[in-house]
Amino acid sequence: MTQKTNATMHSPNAQAPLAQASAGNLPLDDNWRKSIPAQVFLNHFFAMDYHIHHQNDLFDLAKFPIFQQFYGRATDENRKALEKLLLNSWSAEYALRITPVVNDEQYLQSSLHWTFPQAYYSALFSARAFLAVQGINVSNEELIRKRIGNMVVRGYYPASIGYYALGPINSYRIQRLPMAKRFTVAAKSDLLLPSREGSVQVELAQFLKTTRDQRVRALRNAIQTNPKTALRSPKTGEILQKFSVEQYKQLAKQIGYTTYFDMLSRLRISSTNREIERFVDSEIDVKLFHQSLVNIVAHVNSVHEAYIAKALGMQAYRQLVAKLPSYLQESFVRDRMNTVIAPMLEEPQSGQEPYLRMAA
C-alpha cells in the first residue's frame, strides 16, 4: 500500500509536532502574563508545523501537473548563482538545526536572536533559488514576497503551505483553510497550543490576519509619512488621518497576497521588525518553538528543492550536492536528496510501487 511521508519525517533531527508538550495548566503569575505575546507567537508557528504534519502531503507534489510540466531556465551563467543561493539556504538551515545540541534552556532562549533570522533567511534563499531556476533573478525581498505569493495562489505548493489571505483590512478572505470558516476565532481564545486540526486552522487564519494587518499598516505609514506620496483631503489639502474603504482596497492591491512566506518573514530581525523582543525573559517552551521552526523550514525547502531538481535533472542535482562542503554533504541535505527528492523524480524499478515508504 502506498504511503506518503511528511518532510519532517525525513530529517534526522525533525519530529512530529508535540501537541501535549505545553498544553497543561498555564501559570497565571506576572511573569506568565509578560510571556503572553511570546506564547501567541509560539502557537502560530506550532500551528504551521502541526498543519504540515497533519496534511502529510509533500509527496503529492510529484502528482501536480504544474510540477510535472515544470522546466527551468538554468544557463551555465546563472547556475553558479543558483548554487550559491542553495549553499546560503542550506548553511542557514544547518546552523538552525545544530543549535539545540546545547541542552541548556537559557542558552536556547538567548539563541532565538539568531535562530529566528536563520529560519527566515534559509527559506528566503531557498525561495530565491526556486525563482532563479526559472530565470527570475531577484534579490529585493518585497519582489520575492509578491512572486512567491502569486505562485502559492497558482498552486505550486501543497495544501500544507498553500493557504493565503487577500482583500482589504477588516474584510480579509482566508483561502484554503476550510475548517477555519466553521470555527470562530473565539473558539480558540485560550493560550493553549492548538491540539486539533480545526483549532490549528483557526490559529493559522489568525496568523494570516495579524501578518496582513502589519503589512497594511506599514504600507499606509510609508505612504502617509512621505509628503510626496501622502493622500490628502480634496477639500483641505491636509494629509488624511483616516482611510476610506476604497483607499484600503487600493492598499490591498499593492500588497498582493499574504502567504506562508509573509508569516516566516515575521522572524526577520531589522530596525522595523522587533518581534524577538517579546521573548526576552518569557516563560514559553523554547525547545518546542525551535523544533517547529526546524520542521517548517525543512518542509518549505523540500518543496523548493524538488522543483529545482526537476528543472536541473536528478543527475545534475546530485552533482551540485556533491560539490558542497562535507559538513553539508553528509547532513540533512544528502538525506533529503535521497529520501525525498530522488524518490519524487526517479522512475521506480520494475514491480516497485512509486513513492513507497516505510511507516514513520
Side-chain angles (χ1 to χ4, degrees):
M1 182 177 178
T2 302
Q3 294 180 333
K4 295 181 293 182
T5 308
N6 188 295
T8 60
M9 292 306 186
H10 293 295
S11 305
N13 297 327
Q15 300 172 4
L18 306 174
Q20 303 303 317
S22 298
N25 294 325
L26 298 175
L28 297 174
D29 58 18
D30 287 341
N31 287 338
W32 171 249
R33 288 189 180 92
K34 292 177 185 175
S35 301
I36 287 175
Q39 184 65 40
V40 170
F41 211 46
L42 165 58
N43 290 355
H44 287 343
F45 282 98
F46 176 84
M48 283 186 77
D49 182 22
Y50 188 111
H51 190 60
I52 288 168
H53 187 72
H54 182 268
Q55 293 294 317
N56 195 24
D57 59 2
L58 180 59
F59 281 91
D60 288 350
L61 194 65
K63 303 169 190 172
F64 291 3
I66 206 165
F67 179 84
Q68 293 170 352
Q69 296 160 18
F70 186 80
Y71 296 98
R73 298 177 185 173
T75 63
D76 290 338
E77 186 178 343
N78 69 15
R79 193 163 296 202
K80 286 185 179 179
L82 173 67
E83 291 175 3
K84 187 175 180 182
L85 290 169
L86 284 171
L87 176 60
N88 287 338
S89 173
W90 288 329
S91 295
E93 185 177 350
Y94 178 85
L96 175 67
R97 286 167 172 269
I98 65 171
T99 298
V101 169
V102 180
N103 192 21
D104 182 289
E105 199 72 25
Q106 192 171 358
Y107 173 81
L108 280 175
Q109 188 131 6
S110 63
S111 73
L112 289 174
H113 285 276
W114 60 85
T115 55
F116 270 22
Q118 280 165 352
Y120 168 64
Y121 284 109
S122 179
L124 172 68
F125 281 112
S126 176
R128 285 183 62 185
F130 174 41
L131 294 172
V133 83
Q134 301 171 65
I136 305 167
N137 296 294
V138 287
S139 57
N140 179 281
E141 291 180 42
E142 183 62 15
L143 291 177
I144 295 164
R145 184 187 73 78
K146 286 185 175 179
R147 290 275 190 174
I148 294 296
N150 288 336
M151 297 183 88
V152 167
V153 174
R154 287 165 59 194
Y156 279 80
Y157 291 86
S160 48
I161 48 175
Y163 45 82
Y164 62 97
L166 71 161
I169 200 164
N170 298 323
S171 299
Y172 296 152
R173 300 199 304 279
I174 308 295
Q175 304 293 332
R176 301 177 186 161
L177 290 174
M179 296 182 79
K181 295 175 183 176
R182 285 182 277 168
F183 293 78
T184 63
V185 175
K188 180 68 181 71
S189 58
D190 55 52
L191 292 172
L192 296 175
L193 290 167
S195 57
R196 288 190 172 88
E197 181 62 10
S199 58
V200 160
Q201 291 195 24
V202 169
E203 192 80 49
L204 290 173
Q206 184 67 12
F207 196 7
L208 283 171
K209 178 187 178 299
T210 57
T211 302
R212 192 165 178 82
D213 282 346
Q214 283 191 4
R215 290 273 177 200
V216 171
R217 288 170 184 146
L219 179 57
R220 183 185 184 280
N221 289 341
I223 291 170
Q224 293 305 91
T225 54
N226 184 342
K228 293 180 180 179
T229 60
L231 302 182
R232 298 173 183 270
S233 166
K235 292 181 180 178
T236 66
E238 296 292 319
I239 292 175
L240 290 176
Q241 299 301 311
K242 291 185 178 180
F243 271 25
S244 68
V245 172
E246 284 304 313
Q247 286 161 340
Y248 273 121
K249 284 181 180 177
Q250 290 303 312
L251 287 186
K253 287 180 182 177
Q254 288 186 57
I255 287 171
Y257 304 105
T258 301
T259 69
Y260 82 88
F261 192 81
D262 299 85
M263 293 150 87
L264 286 176
S265 74
R266 298 275 296 268
L267 299 167
R268 184 170 60 91
I269 297 174
S270 67
S271 59
T272 57
N273 190 60
R274 307 299 304 171
E275 301 269 17
I276 188 65
E277 290 174 356
R278 66 182 64 189
F279 290 90
V280 177
D281 299 325
S282 65
E283 294 184 358
I284 63 166
D285 189 338
V286 181
K287 205 166 192 176
L288 179 64
F289 202 141
H290 183 272
Q291 188 61 57
S292 293
L293 291 181
V294 169
N295 292 348
I296 293 164
V297 169
H299 186 69
V300 169
N301 290 355
S302 293
V303 172
H304 293 156
E305 289 158 28
Y307 277 106
I308 291 164
K310 175 74 168 63
L312 297 178
M314 199 59 220
Q315 183 178 354
Y317 188 78
R318 287 189 182 278
Q319 290 170 352
L320 186 156
V321 172
K323 290 193 284 186
L324 290 173
S326 60
Y327 75 92
L328 285 176
Q329 254 194 72
E330 297 164 10
S331 69
F332 66 91
V333 178
R334 184 174 63 184
D335 179 60
R336 199 149 68 206
M337 178 179 69
N338 291 333
T339 60
V340 179
I341 311 302
M344 275 196 205
L345 300 178
E346 293 177 341
E347 291 293 324
Q349 296 177 359
S350 178
Q352 181 184 354
E353 197 171 356
Y355 318 125
L356 186 64
R357 297 288 174 275
M358 297 295 290

